[in-house]
Amino acid sequence: MKLINHINTQLLHRRIVLVLFDIMTACVAGVIPLWIRFELNFNDIPNVYLESVWNFMLINVVITLIVFYMFRLYHSLWAFAGTAEAQNIVAACFLCAVLNFLGMNLLKYPIPRSYYFMYALVLTGIITLGRFSYRIVRGRVHKSQNKKNGTRVMIIGAGDAGNTVIKEITNSHFSTMVIKCIIDDNENKWGRFIQGIKIVGGRDKIVEYAALYGIDEIIIAIPSANRPTMRAIVEICKETSCKLRTLPGIYQLVNGEVKVSKLRNVDVEDLLGRDPIKVDLDSILNYVKNKTVMITGGGGSIGSELCRQIAGHQPKRLIIVDIYENNAYEIQQELKHKYPKLDLVVLIASVRNTNRMNSIMQEYRPHIIYHAAAHKHVPLMEDSPNEAIKNNVFGTWKTAQAAVQNGVQKFVLISTDKAVNPTNIMGASKRICEMIIQTYNRHYDTEFVAVRFGNVLGSNGSVIPLFKKQIAAGGPVTVTHPDIIRYFMTIPEAVSLVLQAGVYAKGGEIFVLDMGEPVKILDLAKNLIRLSGYKLDEDIKIEFTGLRPGEKLYEELLMNEEGLTDTDNKLIHIGKPIEFDESAFYVQLNNLKKAVENECEDVRSLIQEIVPTYIPKAEPEEYGEERED
């Protein structure tokens, strides 16, 4: 309450000052036109004209204050005044001149005909100067301070977005940025100015002018740029060692949301060199609309994104099942806020609990199940193989069994590229999961399918968040091997393709998502260091730690024995199921179940019997301090 009273008192004081200033201005502006009319000689002004002005003075002041109030000249924050306020000043002042004309003629006060126009110009000039003087002085002081210790900035993009950023930075009282130059590929703009800042050339001038002006930060203000264009610009900017930031999407420009606070650091996603993957949303909508959909592991990275996208496609009911209550709570609150009419059920349960999974499906009768619950961290599962098998293999088995017993129409297993020729427990466990759902598909009405993809950017435990934390801590950034490569996809992209693969599913397929070109992890680390504004080896070093237990140098998406057929979506392929002896498989599976329940010290030999392509790595490779760039 004290703060509100203080603010109200400040506003009252400012308005009193403005009113007093306007009274003085109205009086002075009434005389100056006569002084100008008679060649700047006050003594030459006839007394009859001075008397007219003096007699009308009180009426003039009252008119002025009423008109200014009507045009909200006492309500604006003049520290942030712009063209709208300037237009109001002009309109108010000229209206005052018109009312002066009507009043003086009505009262028959003699005055030269040129008086009224000059009065309007003088009043407009003094009021404008008075109202905008604070902003001008504050801006000058702010720029003076910034020249001494501010961040020197280069803007890339001389369009609407660039203009908005420049305006925000220039007008912000809190910004410590000084814009030195603008870059744009449009030759017609070269040599011209935006708000006093020169457009110096195209992208080929970035490195030159970054060095010339000692640029600290580059802001890419081209929100409509596609991925290849963004990548090309970022590749050039990386040569400058400047920190990079970019604007959000063009839709936020339309909504007027682009501000300095909306600038984001350039993410590694900007370097993947491709546009975001698009899917046929209509087919997905028809697929899940009015269906009861259940997602196991619904609070995880992939599971929660499945929940978001399905919630937006009008399901009859969405059931989220997760063992971890914090994750489940977070996605529950998010969906409640975004989709208040969604029939949402959030349950804490383990897929390893047979009775619990049966009771959930008996009560809610889901049409579709997305099985995303799994232990996924490769090194952790190498140290706790029994837990990986219990959760991944037998959690999938129990969930699949409950699905067939309760009439589920479709069961989609979220698998991984690590299931191909696995070298680790996690990958081998997922391969066994694929074999389970292929077996079940042959004998039950439920359509069982698997979707296999690689690494997702930004998921829990992925490499990008780890690199960012290491850079924030001053390094070093740790990479397991200089030659290690991975396929990458964003979480929304992977999930949208999973949903569309479910549309194509007829039962028994292993869908393989096209992850694009593989990316070297070392290159990601180098780029992220540079994009964060640091110099490689000088500010942040990269250290090699050696491959972790069970880790491959590269991942495969398809086994050699599997064929590959296309779908209507060129990014989704179908792998031909590998034949295996089902009777022997069930015997091996039961032997494995007994072994993990008895906490067998080493189940790897049993896993190899089930998955012949599983070849565990004996020891991780070691790397010292030396490395090659």
Side-chain angles (χ1 to χ4, degrees):
M1 183 62 72
K2 289 182 179 179
L3 178 61
I4 294 174
N5 290 336
H6 176 69
I7 293 173
N8 289 336
T9 302
Q10 279 189 327
L11 290 174
L12 179 61
H13 289 165
R14 290 176 182 175
R15 286 176 180 172
I16 290 173
V17 170
L18 285 176
V19 168
L20 294 175
F21 175 78
D22 292 343
I23 291 172
M24 181 186 68
T25 300
C27 296
V28 172
V31 177
I32 290 180
L34 294 175
W35 181 60
I36 296 173
R37 168 66 176 77
F38 291 94
E39 300 178 349
L40 308 183
N41 191 335
F42 193 80
N43 294 326
D44 290 345
I45 302 174
N47 289 332
V48 65
Y49 293 157
L50 289 174
E51 287 176 3
S52 295
V53 171
W54 176 255
N55 292 334
F56 196 72
M57 187 73 71
L58 181 59
I59 299 174
N60 183 32
V61 168
V62 173
I63 289 174
T64 301
L65 296 180
I66 292 174
V67 171
F68 282 11
Y69 182 84
M70 289 170 55
F71 280 83
R72 308 185 67 82
L73 299 190
Y74 300 118
H75 299 80
S76 298
L77 292 173
W78 293 100
F80 305 100
T83 55
E85 286 78 13
Q87 289 172 1
N88 284 343
I89 289 174
V90 173
C93 291
F94 272 82
L95 179 58
C96 287
V98 171
L99 294 175
N100 264 8
F101 170 79
L102 295 175
M104 284 190 168
N105 278 277
L106 185 65
L107 297 173
K108 300 190 182 302
Y109 290 147
I111 205 80
R113 285 178 297 177
S114 62
Y115 171 83
Y116 304 108
F117 181 71
M118 285 192 289
Y119 174 78
L121 293 180
V122 171
L123 185 64
T124 301
I126 297 175
I127 293 298
T128 302
L129 181 62
R131 291 296 198 276
F132 282 83
S133 60
Y134 173 70
R135 174 179 172 175
I136 294 171
V137 171
R138 190 195 67 160
R140 293 293 182 185
V141 172
H142 184 51
K143 287 182 179 179
S144 177
Q145 292 173 342
N146 282 351
K147 284 182 180 179
K148 297 177 182 178
N149 52 21
T151 302
R152 288 159 294 189
V153 174
M154 170 188 287
I155 303 291
I156 299 180
D160 291 337
N163 180 60
T164 302
V165 172
I166 294 168
K167 182 179 179 181
E168 279 278 333
I169 292 174
T170 304
N171 295 340
S172 174
H173 179 65
F174 302 100
S175 172
T176 58
M177 298 178 179
V178 180
I179 303 174
K180 307 299 289 187
C181 63
I182 305 170
I183 295 291
D184 196 281
D185 286 339
N186 187 342
E187 296 183 13
N188 295 326
K189 296 181 180 180
W190 295 353
R192 298 188 179 184
F193 294 80
I194 295 179
Q195 300 187 46
I197 301 163
K198 189 174 182 180
I199 303 170
V200 296
R203 68 179 73 174
D204 59 316
K205 299 291 185 180
I206 291 174
V207 176
E208 176 185 341
Y209 278 92
L212 179 64
Y213 289 114
I215 299 297
D216 302 305
E217 185 169 321
I218 297 174
I219 297 174
I220 304 174
I222 319 175
S224 59
N226 56 29
R227 292 282 183 183
T229 300
M230 182 65 74
R231 180 178 185 179
I233 293 173
V234 170
E235 286 293 334
I236 297 172
C237 293
K238 279 167 32 183
E239 300 178 25
T240 67
S241 298
C242 298
K243 183 177 180 180
L244 295 185
R245 288 203 283 174
T246 185
L247 277 178
I250 191 68
Y251 68 92
Q252 288 177 302
L253 271 177
V254 176
N255 292 338
E257 297 177 12
V258 170
K259 298 184 179 180
V260 174
S261 60
K262 291 286 184 181
L263 292 171
R264 64 171 175 83
N265 291 332
V266 176
D267 289 326
V268 177
E269 292 96 307
D270 295 322
L271 299 177
L272 293 183
R274 58 173 173 79
D275 290 323
I277 292 172
K278 297 180 181 179
V279 300
D280 181 2
L281 295 179
D282 290 336
S283 65
I284 295 173
L285 175 62
N286 294 330
Y287 171 56
V288 301
K289 186 175 181 180
N290 296 325
K291 299 283 182 63
T292 297
V293 182
M294 174 174 157
I295 301 172
T296 67
S301 302
I302 296 297
S304 62
E305 182 62 25
L306 275 166
C307 293
R308 291 184 191 97
Q309 294 197 25
I310 291 172
H313 289 127
Q314 303 175 30
K316 178 180 180 182
R317 173 179 287 164
L318 179 60
I319 305 166
I320 299 175
V321 177
D322 202 291
I323 188 62
Y324 186 39
E325 61 180 299
N326 291 349
N327 283 350
Y329 177 77
E330 286 181 11
I331 188 63
Q332 179 190 47
Q333 296 307 304
E334 179 185 335
L335 295 181
K336 275 186 174 181
H337 176 72
K338 191 170 183 179
Y339 304 101
K341 296 182 180 179
L342 174 67
D343 186 351
L344 179 65
V345 177
V346 180
L347 302 171
I348 303 302
S350 171
V351 294
R352 292 158 61 167
N353 188 326
T354 304
N355 292 334
R356 177 66 168 145
M357 298 310 293
N358 264 320
S359 66
I360 290 173
M361 293 189 205
Q362 283 174 3
E363 181 175 357
Y364 295 104
R365 296 291 177 178
H367 299 98
I368 306 167
I369 292 178
Y370 289 94
H371 183 54
H375 288 327
K376 302 180 180 73
H377 294 268
V378 171
L380 291 179
M381 295 306 100
E382 289 300 295
D383 294 333
S384 303
N386 289 344
E387 293 305 305
I389 298 301
K390 289 176 188 176
N391 195 70
N392 294 1
V393 174
F394 296 109
T396 298
W397 193 0
K398 292 176 180 181
T399 305
Q401 184 62 37
V404 299
Q405 289 176 356
N406 292 281
V408 173
Q409 295 176 3
K410 191 165 293 188
F411 185 104
V412 180
L413 169 70
I414 306 300
S415 190
T416 172
D417 56 1
K418 294 174 178 61
V420 183
N421 299 324
T423 58
N424 53 66
I425 290 291
M426 197 282 281
S429 71
K430 280 293 191 178
R431 177 56 195 150
I432 298 175
C433 292
E434 292 178 352
M435 296 169 71
I436 290 172
I437 66 107
Q438 286 181 323
T439 301
Y440 267 61
N441 186 73
R442 295 189 187 103
H443 301 285
Y444 299 101
D445 292 333
T446 301
E447 296 175 356
F448 286 90
V449 298
V451 182
R452 187 189 291 163
F453 54 86
N455 301 275
V456 286
L457 288 166
S459 64
N460 294 330
S462 68
V463 69
I464 305 304
L466 173 62
F467 285 170
K468 288 182 176 180
K469 287 180 181 178
Q470 291 174 335
I471 291 170
V477 171
T478 57
V479 177
T480 57
H481 193 286
D483 297 322
I484 192 168
I485 63 172
R486 289 292 182 266
Y487 294 90
F488 281 104
M489 184 176 284
T490 66
I491 295 175
E493 286 176 331
V495 167
S496 64
L497 288 177
V498 167
L499 291 173
Q500 191 159 14
V503 178
Y504 298 146
K506 303 300 181 185
E509 302 99 336
I510 294 179
F511 289 94
V512 181
L513 305 188
D514 188 339
M515 303 291 290
E517 294 298 320
V519 179
K520 289 188 71 171
I521 301 298
L522 178 58
D523 290 340
L524 286 183
K526 290 178 179 179
N527 291 336
L528 198 55
I529 290 170
R530 294 188 180 108
L531 295 179
S532 300
Y534 298 104
K535 293 183 179 179
L536 183 63
D537 288 333
E538 292 183 23
D539 301 322
I540 304 288
K541 294 184 179 296
I542 293 177
E543 290 184 359
F544 294 105
T545 59
L547 291 176
R548 298 173 296 181
E551 189 172 41
K552 291 182 180 182
L553 273 179
Y554 59 94
E555 303 290 0
E556 305 158 275
L557 294 179
L558 199 68
M559 292 184 230
N560 291 331
E561 299 92 337
E562 293 175 303
L564 195 67
T565 58
D566 294 331
T567 66
D568 291 339
N569 188 324
K570 295 180 180 179
L571 298 174
I572 302 176
H573 310 284
I574 301 174
K576 181 181 178 181
I578 298 175
E579 299 296 329
F580 56 89
D581 188 332
E582 288 185 15
S583 300
F585 174 59
Y586 276 116
V587 171
Q588 295 165 337
L589 209 54
N590 282 303
N591 290 338
L592 182 63
K593 185 173 184 290
K594 292 176 183 177
V596 296
E597 287 176 348
N598 293 325
E599 300 298 338
C600 176
E601 291 187 5
D602 189 4
V603 295
R604 287 174 171 80
S605 59
L606 293 175
I607 295 173
Q608 279 183 294
E609 291 180 12
I610 302 174
V611 185
T613 56
Y614 168 51
I615 303 175
K617 294 182 73 70
E619 295 291 337
E621 293 186 39
E622 296 295 336
Y623 261 84
E625 293 295 321
E626 294 184 6
R627 66 181 178 84
E628 294 181 4
D629 290 332

